[in-house]
Amino acid sequence: MPIVVDIDVMLARRKMSVGELAERIGITPANLAVLKNGRAKAVRFTTLAALCEVLDCQPGDLLRWEAERLADEATPTERHL
């Protein structure tokens, strides 16, 4: 998926555990792990807002877009390698 979740980065910067963050934002550690590991299909704005409040950050600090490279997007030189 082209959306990358960087919760680990913010947790390390804040010296906070996953369990503490889950408790402070009001979700289970299992659900936070799904989000943190990039397996979530969606995130509620209320959850995103709670993450930002507790971690003292902006949504862009937690989520970023990364292009997926597809074979048909490769340059002609790359296709022949």
Side-chain angles (χ1 to χ4, degrees):
M1 177 178 264
I3 300 298
V4 178
V5 181
D6 288 326
I7 291 175
D8 282 339
V9 174
M10 294 308 297
L11 283 171
R13 288 182 183 165
R14 303 300 186 251
K15 296 179 173 71
M16 187 181 298
S17 70
V18 172
E20 181 183 352
L21 178 59
E23 184 178 321
R24 290 181 64 185
I25 65 172
I27 66 173
T28 66
N31 283 339
L32 181 56
V34 168
L35 178 59
K36 182 176 78 73
N37 296 325
R39 295 188 316 263
K41 300 288 184 203
V43 61
R44 291 176 187 233
F45 283 153
T46 54
T47 302
L48 185 58
L51 285 164
C52 290
E53 182 177 353
V54 170
L55 295 171
D56 189 28
C57 66
Q58 293 295 312
D61 296 325
L62 300 174
L63 304 171
R64 63 187 160 89
W65 178 81
E66 239 179 47
E68 288 183 319
R69 271 192 82 103
L70 302 175
D72 57 348
E73 291 181 299
T75 64
T77 303
E78 291 173 324
R79 281 189 222 127
H80 296 289
L81 294 177

